[in-house]
Amino acid sequence: MSNPRLLLIEDDIDLAELTTLYLSQQGFDLTHTESAEAALALPEQAFELIICDVMLPGESGFSVFEQLKKRYQCTLIFMTALDGQEDQIKGLDIGASDYIVKPINPELLTARIRANLRKASAQTSNLITLDGLTIDNSLQQITIDSHPLKFTTQEFNLLWIFARRHGQVLSREYLFEQYVGRPYDGLDRAIDLKVSRLRKKVDSYQIEGLSIQTVHGRGYLFNYQPKHLA
């Protein structure tokens, strides 16, 4: 299984470098930005968890919380020097999964991150419903307006990866790691063939608004946008 992907939003460069180094050694894949604006401007990619400072240059962590959650659809925890009870309450009330006060022991930080990842994993439903499209991972069954669609196990597994990140561009690297369960070597194009076959199967059902699109230079986008939702 690929390493969990974390996004660290922290303007203290020294702290960010130390945090990135330590968490990388603990088996996490870190991306770092110095501001919330830079985080929102990243090329489309998927993260399992965001660690966000509150006091940032430009927009604060609190003010961009909703944008970050909408963009990345993952767990977000605040890690900040603001240790007042009101700030902690605000951070948790707006929807953060955790509020960590700096400075924090690196081992404790790692434990808190893993705990939040476990919590998010436990809360992940085996059922995804997108308007009339229902994808049931426990039964490996896909229906559209209650009519079952036939997919092979391999097709379903790839479709499930897409559906969990619907509306987001997924890179070849991410799809390969999630589907195969090991890091992408930069050469294997097998995932492209599997996406192509899955797209043909999806297209064969001619479901209004459902498509797997190629976004050149970035990856693939699974999109379901019926006309009445457009």
Side-chain angles (χ1 to χ4, degrees):
M1 186 63 67
S2 60
N3 294 340
R5 294 190 173 193
L6 311 184
L7 171 61
L8 173 64
I9 308 173
E10 172 60 68
D11 64 321
D12 183 330
I13 302 303
D14 291 338
L15 176 60
E17 288 179 351
L18 289 172
T19 303
T20 298
L21 176 61
Y22 184 82
L23 291 179
S24 296
Q25 292 172 343
Q26 301 307 306
F28 297 103
D29 184 355
L30 266 290
T31 295
H32 168 241
T33 67
E34 297 178 32
S35 69
E37 290 86 350
L40 292 169
L42 287 172
E44 292 283 355
Q45 54 190 298
F47 296 104
E48 276 69 56
L49 182 141
I50 297 171
I51 306 168
C52 185
D53 193 2
V54 174
M55 296 182 294
L56 293 164
E59 297 281 353
S60 74
F62 286 158
S63 64
V64 296
F65 174 83
E66 289 295 339
Q67 294 178 66
L68 289 168
K69 288 288 289 185
K70 182 177 180 180
R71 170 74 183 276
Y72 294 111
Q73 300 179 32
C74 70
T75 298
L76 186 148
I77 62 179
F78 287 117
M79 186 174 72
T80 174
L82 293 176
D83 59 357
Q85 287 190 7
E86 290 185 1
D87 292 312
Q88 296 182 51
I89 292 170
K90 179 177 180 180
L92 295 171
D93 276 352
I94 64 176
S97 295
D98 204 348
Y99 191 104
I100 298 171
V101 177
K102 303 176 191 174
I104 183 171
N105 177 282
E107 293 182 359
L108 180 56
L109 173 61
T110 302
R112 296 280 282 272
I113 290 171
R114 294 193 189 283
N116 277 282
L117 288 173
R118 286 195 299 271
K119 181 171 65 174
S121 178
Q123 292 173 346
T124 299
S125 173
N126 278 322
L127 189 68
I128 295 175
T129 300
L130 306 172
D131 194 50
L133 180 67
T134 300
I135 306 171
D136 189 330
N137 190 40
S138 60
L139 298 177
Q140 289 216 325
Q141 185 178 76
I142 301 171
T143 59
I144 181 74
D145 295 329
S146 300
H147 298 294
L149 308 179
K150 292 184 179 180
F151 287 86
T152 67
T153 298
Q154 290 187 344
E155 290 169 343
F156 180 91
N157 290 340
L158 184 54
L159 184 63
W160 178 254
I161 295 170
F162 272 117
R164 289 179 61 194
R165 298 284 182 180
H166 63 89
Q168 297 183 33
V169 178
L170 303 183
S171 67
R172 176 188 293 116
E173 292 79 7
Y174 178 81
L175 290 169
F176 184 92
E177 291 172 5
Q178 293 293 311
Y179 184 83
V180 179
R182 58 180 170 82
Y184 181 60
D185 61 12
L187 300 174
D188 197 322
R189 291 294 186 269
I191 197 68
D192 297 292
L193 179 59
K194 293 185 182 299
V195 171
S196 177
R197 289 173 175 169
L198 176 61
R199 176 160 46 201
K200 289 179 180 178
K201 174 64 76 68
V202 169
D203 290 346
S204 72
Y205 283 112
Q206 298 182 328
I207 300 169
E208 177 192 324
L210 180 63
S211 64
I212 298 176
Q213 304 163 12
T214 299
V215 181
H216 294 290
R218 294 164 62 191
Y220 300 98
L221 171 67
F222 175 80
N223 194 34
Y224 182 49
Q225 192 70 24
K227 288 182 179 179
H228 67 273
L229 292 182

